[in-house]
Amino acid sequence: MKTGIIIPCYNEENRLDVTAFKNFISTNNAYHLCFVNDGSKDNTIDVLKDIQKTNPNKVSIVDVKVNAGKAAAVRAGAKYFYAKSTVKYIGFMDADLSTDFKDFENLVNTLSTSNSLSFVFGSRAKNASEGIKKDGVRAIISKMINILIVFILGLSIADTQCGAKVFETNLVPLLFGRKFKTKWLFDVEMFIRIKRYFGKQKTLNMILEQPLHRWVHMDDSKLGVKDSVEIPFRLLSIWFNYTLADSLFESTTENYLEPQMRIIDVPENLMAA
């Protein structure tokens, strides 16, 4: 059984560390990479095909024709892996490798060796090490935003927005059965969906926030300071929709595919290799 890693990509032609991805997939048989090209306007798709060519049995590409945001990209990757009988765990990480493979493997190891956990996610705030590097403005904004997130969730999570998470495949219908309300704050929505379905105490027993050893903010990150300023209003919108619009949860397992996408895939028997 494998762990599927989703890597959402938007205009990453000059940011992807091709060598790092090739080296990882060449030396790790327990993982399968799924790059989701989220309507990139540059030559990202060609770079992804180059990575896939190195180990076509371990790399798939979901090519979304129109940019829809990170939430939709991760959702497309999760639904792709959910259909694969060889995938036991699914996770996602940022294309710029701000969280490295070693930390991601640590998350998978924690999940795979626990009988009670179903969802493990990295944290840049909890017991932060010297390897966690944020610029000053973003650090202040992050702390303010986190106070609001904790209020909305009713869960004491120090860092919901870290781009490294891994979970059991059977959670996909709950987490990704319906589209997200936001493009960037879908992590908060994931936690809301878990808590609403399982209840607070069981949620606390099945999730774990694990400190990262290394995380580096990339200067050309897609989420700018302007977006960060708008986040409180988007969070309030999430609170309103999930608290008052109960119709959102009439069915957590609705199954529909994202429009206009192409799978550049490999046969199931090769994926299991």
Side-chain angles (χ1 to χ4, degrees):
M1 299 296 283
K2 291 181 178 287
T3 295
I5 307 179
I6 304 160
I7 304 101
C9 302
Y10 177 65
N11 293 345
E12 303 287 355
E13 176 187 2
N14 298 317
R15 300 209 314 164
L16 282 166
D17 189 337
V18 174
T19 300
F21 281 111
K22 287 183 175 180
N23 288 342
F24 175 78
I25 205 63
S26 296
T27 57
N28 288 272
N29 292 324
Y31 292 87
H32 188 96
L33 302 184
C34 177
F35 292 95
V36 181
N37 182 39
D38 184 24
S40 296
K41 298 178 181 178
D42 62 3
N43 294 317
T44 293
I45 188 65
D46 294 327
V47 177
L48 298 181
K49 288 179 179 178
D50 178 58
I51 296 173
Q52 184 184 48
K53 190 183 303 182
T54 303
N55 274 283
N57 60 317
K58 300 179 186 177
V59 180
S60 299
I61 301 169
V62 176
D63 187 24
V64 181
K65 297 304 180 181
V66 179
N67 177 247
K70 184 178 180 180
V74 172
R75 181 172 178 268
K79 290 169 74 68
Y80 166 79
F81 276 133
Y82 185 68
K84 301 296 182 182
S85 60
T86 54
V87 176
K88 185 176 183 179
Y89 305 117
I90 299 173
F92 55 90
M93 62 191 301
D94 294 329
D96 59 15
L97 295 180
S98 51
T99 300
D100 62 22
F101 287 116
K102 184 176 181 181
D103 265 325
F104 190 88
E105 288 181 278
N106 287 339
L107 300 180
V108 175
N109 183 63
T110 298
L111 179 59
S112 64
T113 55
S114 171
N115 294 323
S116 60
L117 295 175
S118 298
F119 192 118
V120 180
F121 52 102
S123 177
R124 301 158 294 181
K126 185 177 181 180
N127 301 323
S129 71
E130 294 181 357
I132 308 299
K133 300 184 184 299
K134 286 186 180 182
D135 65 72
V137 175
R138 286 179 179 270
I140 294 172
I141 293 175
S142 294
K143 289 181 179 179
M144 296 174 62
I145 290 172
N146 189 69
I147 293 174
L148 183 55
I149 290 175
V150 170
F151 170 76
I152 291 172
L153 289 180
L155 299 172
S156 184
I157 297 176
D159 185 7
T160 60
Q161 301 311 111
C162 177
K165 294 179 172 67
V166 62
F167 44 88
E168 293 182 338
T169 300
N170 59 17
L171 286 179
V172 169
L174 172 65
L175 297 177
F176 300 97
R178 285 184 174 269
K179 290 182 179 180
F180 294 105
K181 301 298 292 183
T182 58
K183 292 184 176 182
W184 296 100
L185 293 167
F186 70 98
D187 308 75
V188 175
E189 296 187 59
M190 290 171 69
F191 288 114
I192 291 176
R193 292 176 181 188
I194 293 175
K195 181 186 174 185
R196 188 163 182 132
Y197 186 82
F198 291 104
K200 181 176 180 177
Q201 191 54 54
K202 188 170 182 179
T203 296
L204 291 173
N205 292 336
M206 64 187 289
I207 69 173
L208 178 68
E209 183 173 15
Q210 182 165 299
L212 298 177
H213 292 95
R214 173 193 172 276
W215 185 86
V216 179
H217 165 69
M218 300 300 179
D219 290 336
D220 55 348
S221 173
K222 303 296 187 304
L223 188 64
V225 174
K226 180 181 178 181
D227 296 300
S228 298
V229 173
E230 294 177 357
I231 284 177
F233 300 100
R234 296 177 184 178
L235 286 171
L236 290 175
S237 175
I238 290 174
W239 173 83
F240 175 82
N241 279 286
Y242 280 87
T243 302
L244 302 180
D246 289 339
S247 60
L248 287 173
F249 291 90
E250 289 177 356
S251 171
T252 59
T253 58
E254 182 178 345
N255 184 29
Y256 51 85
L257 293 174
E258 301 293 348
Q260 297 182 309
M261 68 173 62
R262 175 172 61 112
I263 307 295
I264 304 174
D265 202 1
V266 295
E268 183 84 6
N269 63 321
L270 285 180
M271 189 173 178

